[in-house]
Amino acid sequence: VQLQASGGGLVQAGGSRRLSCAASGRAFNNNAMGWFRQAPGKEREFVASISWAGNVTRFADSVKGRFTVSRDNAKNTMYLQMNSLKPEDTAVYYCAAGSSSVWLGPPLVWGQGTQVTVSS
């Protein structure tokens, strides 16, 4: 069972980026999934989550109104659309699978991260 995040890179402040998280080895159609991030010198923090059906989403206050989360269960893939990016969004972004149909934490499976760097 593996989760692989991709789509990171360098983006200017105010720009947009879409991250993907692909699951392989098994499907996570019955599991909520989430995004976390870790900036240098800081603890890993919750960013967003989405229920298995895609109808329940949660966001950290710091990204509300700027980020959206979605999933395509047929493709075993989750997405994080990041708009109006700020330098403080710079971090390694990790995806994770939850242990139930809605996100209750902590993650059941962690994926590898992808670096997002926002330049001012």
Side-chain angles (χ1 to χ4, degrees):
V1 176
Q2 288 187 327
L3 298 176
Q4 180 65 56
S6 62
L10 178 63
V11 60
Q12 288 189 334
S16 298
R17 200 82 180 181
R18 189 177 81 156
L19 305 183
S20 299
C21 174
S24 62
R26 59 159 281 188
F28 285 98
N29 286 1
N30 293 321
N31 299 80
M33 297 187 73
W35 289 98
F36 292 74
R37 66 186 182 186
Q38 187 167 19
K42 295 186 177 181
E43 293 186 352
R44 192 172 298 188
E45 63 176 1
F46 169 81
V47 175
S49 67
I50 184 168
S51 63
W52 75 269
N55 59 336
V56 179
T57 58
R58 289 178 53 220
F59 297 92
D61 288 344
S62 59
V63 305
K64 278 182 182 176
R66 299 188 297 121
F67 290 12
T68 58
V69 60
S70 61
R71 65 190 294 167
D72 185 339
N73 288 339
K75 296 182 178 180
N76 287 336
T77 302
M78 174 181 62
Y79 306 97
L80 183 69
Q81 178 66 43
M82 306 183 294
N83 299 325
S84 302
L85 282 162
K86 305 175 181 179
E88 51 264 43
D89 294 318
T90 295
V92 177
Y93 283 72
Y94 298 88
C95 58
S99 57
S100 61
S101 60
V102 292
W103 191 267
L104 297 177
L108 184 65
V109 177
W110 283 105
Q112 294 181 321
T114 185
Q115 175 73 46
V116 174
T117 302
V118 184
S119 63
S120 57

